[in-house]
């Protein structure tokens, strides 16, 4: 089974590329951001809690998001594999994912790091905010999310390198070229 972690800063294109990979390889897709936005839309208790963090550009507490991830994972039946988009975002989450998969006799196959320069991330997120109206895509919150990314999430690059699972992807350029680079990295571990 393929278990792919798609990784990168906010605006790096994780969601867009995930959709393409899901289609090509027939995988299940877990986007923690999408799960939380659906909860907010449905006005659930979890949604209310999540909104507080998301609007501040902060991460949800690890225990909460790890529980959500475990139950989403268990809802997949006869899966060919999973693409994890937006999870893990902290070392504690990466360790939890490793354990969660090991308990199911599985492991992460590869971590794809979509690398995009900071000025480009800002541009993309501001544009996305104008087009989609996503509440956390405003300049002030974007800046906070990038700070959180650098302090809490970027350390996962070295963590996955030491696990021997890291693959660098140039996230700048046209969508097809980036997808091509991603598929080459996946085919290597398939
Ligand atoms: P981005 O474009 O910032 O990568 P996402 O849609 O993946 O956006 O996530 C939006 C927000 O949801 C994050 O800023 C964070 O508040 C929350 N969130 C998503 N995934 C996680 C996670 N794994 N741990 C904690 N919080 C998360």
């Amino acid at each position: 089974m393929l278990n792919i972690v798609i990784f990168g800063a906010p605006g790096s294109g994780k969601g867009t590329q995930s959709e393409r990979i899901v289609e090509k390889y027939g995988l299940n897709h877990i986007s923690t951001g999408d799960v939380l936005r659906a909860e907010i839309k449905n006005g659930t208790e979890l949604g209310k809690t999540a909104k507080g963090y998301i609007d501040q550009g902060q991460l949800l507490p690890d225990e909460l998001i790890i529980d959500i991830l475990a139950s989403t994972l268990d809802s997949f039946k006869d899966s060919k594999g999973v693409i994890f988009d937006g999870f893990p975002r902290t070392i504690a989450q990466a360790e939890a994912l490793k354990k969660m998969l090991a308990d199911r006799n599985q492991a992460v196959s590869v971590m794809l790091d979509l690398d995009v320069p900071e000025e480009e991330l800002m541009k993309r997120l501001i544009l996305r905010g104008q087009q989609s109206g996503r509440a956390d895509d405003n300049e002030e919150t974007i800046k906070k999310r990038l700070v959180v990314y650098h302090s809490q999430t970027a350390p996962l690059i070295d963590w996955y390198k030491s696990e021997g699972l890291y693959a660098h992807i140039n996230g700048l350029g046209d969508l097809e070229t980036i997808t091509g680079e991603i598929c080459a990295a996946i085919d290597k571990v398939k």
Side-chain angles (χ1 to χ4, degrees):
M1 244 180 84
L2 268 175
N3 289 299
I4 299 167
V5 171
I6 190 155
F7 180 90
S12 58
K14 299 185 292 287
T16 308
Q17 292 296 335
S18 294
E19 281 172 26
R20 294 169 157 240
I21 300 165
V22 161
E23 210 169 296
K24 181 165 163 127
Y25 295 92
L27 305 175
N28 288 109
H29 179 204
I30 302 183
S31 159
T32 43
D34 286 351
V35 170
L36 299 174
R37 282 185 289 276
E39 296 284 339
I40 294 173
K41 203 168 156 222
N42 294 331
T44 64
E45 277 309 310
L46 172 60
K48 284 177 200 152
T49 308
K51 187 171 171 16
Y53 290 98
I54 293 177
D55 288 353
Q56 292 303 313
Q58 299 300 319
L59 298 182
L60 269 75
D62 285 329
E63 319 77 67
L64 190 59
I65 201 87
I66 289 166
D67 278 353
I68 296 171
L69 194 94
S71 44
T72 311
L73 197 58
D74 286 329
S75 71
F76 298 149
K77 299 273 174 273
D78 304 321
S79 179
K80 283 198 217 164
V82 178
I83 177 148
F84 297 90
D85 163 7
F87 185 100
R89 263 175 149 99
T90 63
I91 303 266
Q93 292 180 18
E95 280 166 352
L97 178 62
K98 188 176 176 178
K99 177 153 191 312
M100 215 182 287
L101 291 175
D103 289 344
R104 293 162 177 80
N105 292 317
Q106 290 177 49
V108 169
S109 317
V110 65
M111 181 265 218
L112 307 165
D113 176 21
L114 272 177
D115 188 9
V116 176
E118 191 110 357
E119 318 82 70
E120 171 71 12
L121 296 172
M122 280 302 288
K123 268 196 259 167
R124 288 186 190 176
L125 290 166
I126 289 170
L127 187 71
R128 186 170 78 184
Q130 288 163 354
Q131 290 170 346
S132 75
R134 228 178 92 166
D136 57 344
D137 285 342
N138 63 75
E139 197 161 341
E140 197 193 330
T141 312
I142 293 167
K143 283 190 180 143
K144 285 192 198 157
R145 282 155 62 204
L146 290 173
V147 170
V148 167
Y149 169 76
H150 287 295
S151 62
Q152 300 188 54
T153 305
L156 285 175
I157 293 174
D158 281 340
W159 195 88
Y160 277 106
K161 278 183 183 166
S162 70
E163 296 272 307
L165 295 172
Y166 179 85
H168 178 267
I169 306 290
N170 176 12
L172 204 57
D174 64 279
L175 287 179
E176 288 300 332
T177 310
I178 301 168
T179 308
E181 207 181 312
I182 289 177
C183 293
I186 296 175
D187 292 339
K188 245 195 234 173
V189 298
K190 228 169 80 176

